[in-house]
Amino acid sequence: MKASYSKYVLAATLAATTVAYVAQVPATAAVPFTDLKNVGDHYTAIEELYNSGIITGRTATTFAPYEAATRAELALFIANALHLDTKNVKDPGFTDVPKNSTYYGAIAALYNAGIIGGYKDKTFKPNDYVKRSQVAKMLVLAFDLELANTTTTKFTDVNSIQDMDTRRYIQTLVQYNITKGTSTTTFSPNDSVKRAQLATFLKRAIDYTQSDFDIINVE
């Protein structure tokens, strides 16, 4: 199910949130992580989202850019990006997400908004690595991206997926240029997403949503 707000309302929220963060953090603020020397283009996304309070490191001085992101981390980052209320939440009832967990509020908020779901055994599996196909679904729902009409993609390993919605979520990210795949013909839907990659995906999704908001304001 979709979140209960339009992408333009969401964009306005993101815009207001960004202004608030910029007021608190200098644009040139350095990140405290010592392990970002070889992250290439991901550095900009990590720096911007960290200074905006959206993403966090694995420790005070390391980001672990090429370690796999967990489902809990993705939930936290998206909740931060959407500026969701993570305090006043309804318990989603996941047996493996205790209320004293660092990630409880974010997971509950996203579940309440219809952005994430759990497993049939009433677990969320917060420490599992998040798959590329799962990231596609969560970003499409979180940022209310217009879902692709086609289920045929340029990726051979996506076209073989039986679930048509999963195909659409992945194709949507391609159409928004949030991802280009792991090669020209593969997406690797079951592979884990590295934390540096996740930062870039998030920044692109935020940028597109912000762009929509700017267009509406101009018109």
Side-chain angles (χ1 to χ4, degrees), residues 68-165:
T70 67
R71 287 167 55 82
E73 289 173 332
L74 176 57
L76 177 63
F77 297 168
I78 290 178
N80 288 342
L82 301 185
H83 206 50
L84 296 182
D85 180 358
T86 59
K87 302 297 184 183
N88 302 303
V89 293
K90 181 180 179 181
D91 186 3
F94 296 129
T95 59
D96 56 352
V97 185
K99 292 184 178 180
N100 63 355
S101 167
T102 301
Y103 303 100
Y104 172 81
I107 292 171
L110 264 62
Y111 180 83
N112 295 165
I115 295 171
I116 62 173
Y119 292 91
K120 292 181 180 179
D121 61 358
K122 296 184 179 180
T123 63
F124 181 72
K125 304 187 189 308
N127 297 320
D128 279 8
Y129 297 145
V130 64
K131 298 178 181 178
R132 289 172 58 83
S133 59
Q134 293 172 332
V135 169
K137 178 179 180 179
M138 290 175 69
L139 290 181
V140 169
L141 296 181
F143 293 93
D144 203 13
L145 303 179
E146 185 174 350
L147 196 60
N149 292 322
T150 180
T151 59
T152 302
T153 76
K154 63 181 181 180
F155 305 124
T156 57
D157 54 358
V158 172
N159 295 335
S160 63
I161 296 175
Q162 296 300 310
D163 184 78
M164 295 297 107
D165 285 340

Side-chain angles (χ1 to χ4, degrees), residues 7-97:
K7 65 182 178 181
Y8 301 120
V9 172
L10 171 59
T13 301
L14 286 170
T17 303
T18 300
V19 170
Y21 286 140
V22 169
Q24 298 170 11
V25 182
T28 56
V31 294
F33 309 124
T34 59
D35 55 354
L36 300 181
K37 294 180 180 179
N38 299 310
V39 297
D41 293 340
H42 297 303
Y43 184 89
T44 299
I46 295 169
E47 180 183 44
E48 180 177 317
L49 298 188
Y50 172 79
N51 285 326
S52 295
I54 293 173
I55 63 175
T56 60
R58 280 278 173 86
T59 71
T61 58
T62 61
F63 184 75
Y66 291 112
E67 290 185 17
T70 67
R71 287 167 55 82
E73 289 173 332
L74 176 57
L76 177 63
F77 297 168
I78 290 178
N80 288 342
L82 301 185
H83 206 50
L84 296 182
D85 180 358
T86 59
K87 302 297 184 183
N88 302 303
V89 293
K90 181 180 179 181
D91 186 3
F94 296 129
T95 59
D96 56 352
V97 185

